[in-house]
Amino acid sequence: MGAAMHLKKYLLKGLHRLQKGPGYTYKELLVWYCDNTNTHGPKRIICEGPKKKAMWFVLTLLFTSLVCWQWGLFIKTYLNWEVSVSLSIGFKTMDFPAVTICNASPFQYSKVQHLLKDLDTLMEAVLGRILGPELSQVNATTALNLSIWHHTPLVFINEQNPHHPVVLDLFEDNFNGSASSSPAPGRPCSARRCKVAMRLCSHNGTTCTFRNFSSATQAVTEWYTLQATNIFAQVPNQELVAMGYPAERLILACLFGAEPCNYRNFTPIFHPDYGNCYIFNWGMTEKALPSANPGTEFGLKLILDMGQEDYVPFLTSTAGARLMLHEQRSYPFIKEEGIYAMAGMETSIGVLVDKLQRKGEPYSQCTKNGSDVPIQNLYSSYNTTYSIQACIRSCFQEHMIRECGCGHYLYPLPDKRKYCNNQEFPDWAHCYSALRISMAQRETCIYACKESCNDTQYKMTISMAVWPSEASEDWIFHVLSQERDQSSNITLSRKGIVKLNIYFQEFNYRTIEESAANNIVWLLSNLGGQFGFWMGGSVLCLIEFGEIIIDFVWITIIKLVALAKSVRQKRAQARYDGPPPTVAELVEAHTNFGFQPDSAMPGPDAGAYRREQNPPIPGTPPPNYDSLRLQPLDVIESDSEGDAI
């Protein structure tokens, strides 16, 4: 109990000291600071005469401004979060990269011919119309299924008159001017004199745009791909996989270092552009295969059969293998980052490794695992790591679903969504074309997506030679045909054979690492250097300056509190003509019922009423209670200090 009372008394004294303030005025505080600070300029302002005092005041103010200006520049430079890039070279045994191989043709024509029959017939008629416009259009269109054609037809555009271009559907007889809807007499038009364009319409043909091409080859290829996309988008994924090239027919021979391998060592994955692809040394749970030594003998050797004789004629115009080297736990975006290997050639690929390490926030906009990216990663179902390619494509699919109501066949699909097709979404081609060329969409996705903070890039040196040679062609094809087809006849040809050698050129790897160009040590060193050079100060001088700032604030608060208290007291005194009633007067009013205070009758005639009222009836005199009057805190404190003395 005694300790609690002592603590209460101590806190009461502390509160009283706080109310008193530092005990000096602004001027006294400023003089004290200038006389005691370790900074050189303010001392001379106090100690010197009037002329030198003015000179030192100007110099101190000038150098203080210079210091503040330099500090602002250094702080601004630091907050720019600039980075410096360092390159280091290391040497160690490295993990072999994942290798993805695909056929240039996504499907075997013999297995998809029934799906593309009407489209191929229509394509042949289109080519006949482009190459031979004099052919009878009636005979060319009698056996065609024009329901496909009406969604996105190809047209001729005659721009001899730029102000009034003439548009002709390939399977119509009349030109229709874009400026008017009245038909004009027909004239022969071919790809030599007219441009071929694709017409994309929406809202039942009321809104149309034209996608122009510089060559009819590009036009018909893009048109066929768009129509094939509509067809394949309606086929279940299992059937699409069955129509692609199986691994046992694609991979004829495999050797990794001194160890034999086969198609079972590859992980299958379906790619919409290339069909069935196969990845060597890939997966999140599998341990990466190390490379024993650099050189061709310690790399991966493959012999592939592309089966070019079964290519889809109008869908694939390139023959060969598409391959890509990437990290073991990353998704292969082989269309954007892959390379082709020619058929009938041996392609040797020497690999060098670059490891990129970005600094991260706030120095660069990169992410470690994609968790801070506001885009749903549609490629996460493959159990792969984050990449900016996955983010950009997921973002595009998100915009596609929001704008067009359906997802594009080339990208993964979110749950409870459908791929675009002409039957359910007749306007999807027009919407997709507009979204594809939209700069706003691209900028939105690029702004939302971030690069990965850690990345590995494989630099390739490629060389090629004819394989097999004419001298060894016969026996090599005999052996390979016997191994794959158990046939004594040659079932392979140079048109479809690809040989690959993938190896490390050397075990040296480069690490490109970002580091802070201006760290906190750099900032403090420059701030201290400028302060010491211009004003001869140090950290202690800054602490002294902070102390005087605190004292200034303290004095200001005390003055404001005192001002508020005085205003409150004046308002309280304004309610009485004289001083406020004492305790004795209040007791008398309570015991003597004839006692009437002066303010008992408020109103405009209160003064006259007081003059006319009778004197109060004397009652029992009250005791003297002036001893109960409240006293200010400083009086009590001074009394207690006097008692202590």
Side-chain angles (χ1 to χ4, degrees), residues 211 222 225-230 232-234 272-273 335 378-379 393-414 417-421 425 428-436:
R211 185 180 175 192
E222 289 289 330
T225 302
L226 187 66
Q227 302 301 330
T229 298
N230 165 66
F232 294 135
Q234 305 175 62
D273 284 298
K335 183 178 181 180
L378 300 179
Y379 293 87
R393 278 149 187 78
S394 299
C395 180
F396 180 85
Q397 186 75 307
E398 180 180 306
H399 284 80
M400 184 78 183
I401 293 174
R402 182 169 63 249
E403 300 293 334
C404 307
C406 57
H408 197 277
Y409 166 73
L410 296 180
Y411 309 104
L413 199 65
R417 294 293 183 176
K418 292 183 178 181
Y419 281 124
C420 297
N421 59 80
F425 310 95
W428 78 271
H430 179 272
C431 179
Y432 167 68
S433 179
L435 193 64
R436 184 180 179 183

Side-chain angles (χ1 to χ4, degrees), residues 632-645:
L633 184 61
D634 54 353
V635 177
I636 298 175
E637 182 64 24
S638 61
D639 293 341
S640 61
E641 291 176 357
D643 295 338
I645 295 174

Side-chain angles (χ1 to χ4, degrees), residues 573-625:
Q573 293 176 359
R575 293 181 298 180
Y576 304 97
D577 292 340
T582 63
V583 176
E585 292 173 346
L586 295 175
V587 172
E588 181 180 359
H590 179 71
T591 57
N592 188 354
F593 297 101
F595 178 78
Q596 297 293 335
D598 295 339
S599 59
M601 199 66 172
D605 298 332
Y609 173 77
R610 286 195 297 269
R611 290 191 299 269
E612 296 174 359
Q613 67 179 351
N614 297 324
I617 302 174
T620 305
N624 187 8
Y625 289 103

